[in-house]
Amino acid sequence: MNNQPNEIAAVGATTAQAIAAAAGSQLITLDPAAYVAEVFKPYNDIFAILKAEADTITPDASTTAGMEICIKYRAAFRDDVRVAGEKARVERKAPILTIGKLLDSKYADLKNAVIPYEAKFDAAIKAEEKRKDDLKKAEAEREEKTRQRIINIRELPLATVGKSAAAIAEMIAVLETDLPDESFGKLQDAAVTARADVLVKLAGVHAAAVASEEEAARIAAERAELAQLREAAAERQRLALEEAERVAAAQKAEANRLAALAAEQEAAALREREAAAAQLKAEADAQAEKNRLAQAEIDRQLAELAAARQADANRAAVEQARVAAEAQAAADRQAAADQAERDRVAAEQQAAAVAEQGRLADLADVAAAATPAVCQPVRLEVRETAPVGQPTLRLGQIGERLGFALTAEFLASLGFGHAATDRAAKLYHESSFPSMCAALTRHISAVQAKHAA
């Protein structure tokens, strides 16, 4: 069936005739409420009469007459109203239930017969509707793709971010050759406009990229020049550092040489002191041996005199004892004088050695201090420069470094008066500390030599 207008009209006429024929058939139509009221009307009438009578009676089954009245009215309400009404309900409802079942079964037969034909025409309608929907969707997808192509054209300037001027020029060349054609459909004009706008924007971006690359090249050249200047400065700094290290190494070598010379001189002085002490000990041992031999000779002579002069033993013994005592006293005095001379000579030598050691230590300390010493080929000469800068070294800090407390008066006695005061604190120059240590060393050596003598 092609669904032509004349065919549709014919179908409509046939359907109208069928509906008219169905309306002409004699069907009994009941009002359900009226029908039910008419069925139960006789029993409602009987109930109304019995109710009116029962409302005037007070049931009393304790008497025979009262029992008969109760039985009579109970049977009337039960049999004439309730049971009879139930019988009428069952009789009237049975055909209605049968009609309902027949209506359901006949409608089911009619429905099953109609559904295949209804589905045949419904399928054709839904197929056409689906075809139209598919066409609409395809057209919408095509338009969406076309809009996306235009969006892609308009977003070309965003794709130039981070690209070189050459790459942007290539994008411009490609876009100039890509003219919007009929594939854009009704959006062709919009595509042409978008392409023209984007070409203008790309030209501006290209000019900016060229300027940016030229500026980047200029900055790169400046950075390269700056890097060369930095490398030259670093090389000069390296050479200056090497020179400073060479000078420091030379100064350290000179200080080590002076320290080695001082150690060698101290060792020589020690060897001389040890030799002198050994010599004095040898002389003392020799003198003791002489005294022993003299005493032995005296003892021998006394023994011989005792043997020879037995007679005057007592007198000779007394005389001999006197002479021996005087000789022993003389020997003791001579030994004491010799020992005192030896101690004096040893003390002088030790004091001279300690003084020489302190002088050499002072030279080494000054050579290693911040103020350099001028070294001559033959003799060493130390020139102390005048303190410069603000005095910041406190008296307490000097004591902490040395490990014992000092007074300002004691330092002044060594020739180091305080340069300034900060409230109660005495301040000295930091550059004077090495000279203070050298003066303390000399003072300690002098005290040691004095008390050793």
Side-chain angles (χ1 to χ4, degrees):
M1 182 176 180
N2 296 326
N3 293 335
Q4 297 299 325
N6 55 351
E7 294 175 348
I8 295 174
V11 173
T14 303
T15 304
Q17 293 174 1
I19 292 173
S25 61
Q26 295 182 354
L27 294 176
I28 299 175
T29 302
L30 299 176
D31 181 1
Y35 178 78
V36 172
E38 189 66 24
V39 170
F40 289 106
K41 183 178 183 305
Y43 307 106
N44 284 324
D45 293 342
I46 296 172
F47 173 68
I49 296 171
L50 292 174
K51 178 177 179 295
E53 294 176 356
D55 289 339
T56 62
I57 299 173
T58 300
D60 184 8
S62 61
T63 63
T64 303
M67 176 63 73
E68 291 178 353
I69 292 172
C70 290
I71 292 172
K72 173 185 175 182
Y73 277 95
R74 184 185 68 175
F77 280 109
R78 181 189 63 208
D79 298 336
D80 298 340
V81 179
R82 182 173 64 78
V83 174
E86 172 64 17
K87 182 179 179 181
R89 181 188 71 80
V90 172
E91 291 176 352
R92 296 290 183 177
K93 184 178 179 181
I96 294 174
L97 293 175
T98 303
I99 291 171
K101 292 178 180 178
L102 289 173
L103 286 172
D104 292 339
S105 63
K106 293 300 181 182
Y107 171 73
D109 295 340
L110 178 62
K111 175 183 176 182
N112 293 333
V114 169
I115 283 176
Y117 294 95
E118 179 185 355
K120 179 174 70 172
F121 296 100
D122 182 67
I125 293 170
K126 289 182 177 179
E128 180 62 17
E129 291 175 348
K130 182 177 182 303
R131 184 185 67 80
K132 293 179 179 179
D133 289 340
D134 291 342
L135 289 175
K136 290 179 180 179
K137 288 180 180 179
E139 181 63 19
E141 290 178 357
R142 189 186 67 78
E143 290 184 0
E144 180 62 27
K145 290 180 179 179
T146 303
R147 289 192 183 93
Q148 187 59 45
R149 290 171 64 187
I150 297 173
I151 291 172
N152 292 339
I153 293 173
R154 292 193 176 277
E155 289 181 350
L156 280 177
L158 299 178
T160 61
V161 176
K163 293 186 178 297
S164 64
I168 297 173
E170 183 177 355
M171 293 172 63
I172 294 173
V174 172
L175 186 59
E176 286 177 345
T177 58
D178 187 10
L179 296 175
D181 53 14
E182 294 78 5
S183 62
F184 284 89
K186 61 183 180 181
L187 297 176
Q188 184 177 4
D189 294 339
V192 171
T193 303
R195 172 179 171 276
D197 294 342
V198 170
L199 283 174
V200 173
K201 291 181 180 179
L202 288 179
V205 172
H206 178 262
V210 171
S212 177
E213 289 179 359
E214 291 176 351
E215 179 65 16
R218 184 187 64 79
I219 293 174
E222 291 180 354
R223 288 179 177 174
E225 183 180 359
L226 180 60
Q228 292 177 355
L229 293 175
R230 287 178 177 172
E231 290 178 359
E235 180 63 18
R236 289 194 299 273
Q237 184 178 3
R238 184 186 65 80
L239 294 176
L241 181 60
E242 289 180 355
E243 179 63 18
E245 291 176 351
R246 185 190 63 77
V247 173
Q251 292 177 351
K252 182 178 179 181
E254 181 63 18
N256 292 337
R257 187 185 67 80
L258 293 175
L261 179 60
E264 183 179 356
Q265 291 178 352
E266 181 181 359
L270 180 61
R271 287 194 298 271
E272 291 178 359
R273 291 195 302 272
E274 290 177 350
Q279 183 178 358
L280 291 175
K281 184 177 183 302
E283 292 176 355
D285 292 341
Q287 184 64 38
E289 181 62 22
K290 289 179 181 180
N291 294 337
R292 187 186 65 78
L293 293 175
Q295 184 64 40
E297 181 63 24
I298 292 171
D299 291 341
R300 186 186 63 79
Q301 292 177 0
L302 290 175
E304 290 179 353
L305 290 173
R309 300 175 180 180
Q310 186 65 36
D312 50 353
N314 293 332
R315 185 177 66 254
V318 173
E319 183 66 18
Q320 183 179 1
R322 183 184 65 78
V323 173
E326 290 178 357
Q328 184 63 41
D332 292 339
R333 286 193 299 272
Q334 182 63 37
D338 293 342
Q339 185 63 39
E341 181 63 20
R342 287 193 299 273
D343 293 340
R344 184 185 65 79
V345 172
E348 290 178 354
Q349 291 177 350
Q350 184 175 4
V354 171
E356 181 65 15
Q357 180 181 357
R359 185 180 70 81
L360 294 175
D362 292 344
L363 293 176
D365 292 337
V366 172
T371 304
V374 178
C375 299
Q376 299 296 335
V378 176
R379 66 185 181 86
L380 300 175
E381 182 179 356
V382 179
R383 295 189 179 92
E384 296 181 358
T385 59
V388 295
Q390 295 294 327
T392 58
L393 184 61
R394 297 175 179 268
L395 183 62
Q397 292 176 327
I398 296 174
E400 290 177 358
R401 294 181 184 181
L402 296 175
F404 53 85
L406 295 175
T407 63
E409 292 78 9
F410 177 71
L411 285 179
S413 67
L414 296 179
F416 300 93
H418 63 274
T421 58
D422 182 8
R423 297 181 182 176
K426 302 293 190 295
L427 301 179
Y428 299 84
H429 288 282
E430 181 69 34
S431 59
S432 299
F433 182 73
S435 300
M436 292 179 183
C437 294
L440 285 171
T441 302
R442 290 192 296 271
H443 174 75
I444 292 170
S445 300
V447 172
Q448 179 183 8
K450 178 179 177 182
H451 287 279

